[in-house]
Amino acid sequence: DSGVTQTPKHLITATGQRVTLRCSPRSGDLSVYWYQQSLDQGLQFLIQYYNGEERAKGNILERFSAQQFPDLHSELNLSSLELGDSALYFCASSVGQVYNEQFFGPGTRLTVL
Amino acid sequence: AQSVTQLDSQVPVFEEAPVELRCNYSSSVSVYLFWYVQYPNQGLQLLLKYLSGSTLVKGINGFEAEFNKSQTSFHLRKPSVHISDTAEYFCAVTAGGTSYGKLTFGQGTILTVHP
């Protein structure tokens, strides 16, 4: 158990819908990261927040957005869902902003039908 | 920008045999390197990391890796594998700076240990 929690574990929805994935970092960690894992793209970095502020952005689609709240939990919002958004979404957390070990949550498996 | 190439998508090996999983990276700046393991239906777990210092890095579960700057490689090794090592292994790099903590992953190597 990494100490990072993600909800829900599984999510099945239809094209065009909007979903919210939630992540609680390990106690004491200030950075939260979101990654997408799919068969064709592999593991892709989406975005990083540190203490509520956006720090780094990857190839995150405009239909996707994220935020980190004052209690440090984070949410990833995916809208206008397409079949290709079906993937495993991981949240990770670390103490600092760079070079730190990232602890990964168990992931949320999103299926878009 | 950084990139990572894991040279083998699948590596089958017999129990108690040695194994090497190969990783090459490309970057125009200094990088920091990691190996993660993903067991079925689980998240990723850090095996080991290279930030600075000795180029031979020891990690958990008997794994080690050697950073070779001239070859831009960071190969993972274990002298004797167990059935429980069956998993997918990911090499990752980060350059820090304006990329902050962004990890760039390789495509993964599935290690299958046969009895």
Side-chain angles (χ1 to χ4, degrees):
Chain A
D1 184 357
S2 67
V4 178
T5 60
Q6 290 186 248
T7 56
K9 286 188 178 179
H10 302 277
L11 200 48
I12 301 174
T13 188
T15 55
Q17 294 298 305
R18 172 189 169 96
V19 297
T20 298
L21 312 184
R22 182 187 168 101
C23 168
S24 293
R26 289 189 327 153
S27 176
D29 285 357
L30 297 178
S31 271
V32 169
Y33 311 79
W34 287 98
Y35 292 88
Q36 180 193 59
Q37 186 178 34
S38 62
L39 282 175
D40 52 346
Q41 297 288 327
L43 264 166
Q44 299 282 322
F45 169 78
L46 295 178
I47 199 163
Q48 176 191 0
Y49 282 85
Y50 177 79
N51 205 21
E53 300 285 330
E54 183 183 304
R55 279 293 180 259
K57 213 166 185 176
N59 295 328
I60 187 168
L61 299 171
E62 284 192 12
R63 301 184 285 108
F64 295 3
S65 65
Q67 55 183 324
Q68 185 179 29
F69 294 87
D71 67 351
L72 301 177
H73 91 272
S74 178
E75 292 180 358
L76 179 66
N77 299 295
L78 315 176
S79 62
S80 302
L81 285 167
E82 302 175 359
L83 296 178
D85 298 328
S86 294
L88 197 49
Y89 291 85
F90 286 110
C91 170
S93 72
S94 69
V95 171
Q97 301 182 69
V98 290
Y99 313 138
N100 301 115
E101 175 179 356
Q102 294 181 24
F103 293 85
F104 282 74
T108 292
R109 183 168 295 282
L110 174 66
T111 303
V112 182
L113 301 175
Chain B
Q2 296 76 46
S3 67
V4 178
T5 302
Q6 291 184 240
L7 298 161
D8 306 291
S9 58
Q10 296 192 52
V11 173
V13 65
F14 287 106
E15 196 173 15
E16 297 184 5
V19 70
E20 178 180 80
L21 307 184
R22 298 179 294 166
C23 171
N24 285 97
Y25 68 91
S26 172
S27 176
S28 57
V29 299
S30 294
V31 293
Y32 304 86
L33 296 144
F34 303 81
W35 274 99
Y36 280 85
V37 60
Q38 184 178 25
Y39 298 103
N41 301 313
Q42 293 187 29
L44 281 75
Q45 179 183 7
L46 182 70
L47 277 177
L48 47 78
K49 62 186 176 187
Y50 173 78
L51 300 182
S52 64
S54 173
T55 56
L56 183 63
V57 180
K58 293 193 183 299
I60 64 170
N61 300 340
F63 284 93
E64 63 180 32
E66 185 156 20
F67 171 59
N68 188 320
K69 190 173 181 179
S70 62
Q71 306 266 346
T72 61
S73 68
F74 189 53
H75 300 335
L76 181 71
R77 302 185 183 101
K78 186 169 182 178
S80 175
V81 295
H82 301 128
I83 298 286
S84 58
D85 293 322
T86 294
E88 189 161 15
Y89 293 78
F90 293 93
C91 181
V93 300
T94 184
T98 55
S99 295
Y100 285 91
K102 170 188 174 182
L103 286 176
T104 300
F105 285 91
Q107 286 298 103
T109 298
I110 296 174
L111 173 66
T112 304
V113 181
H114 298 284

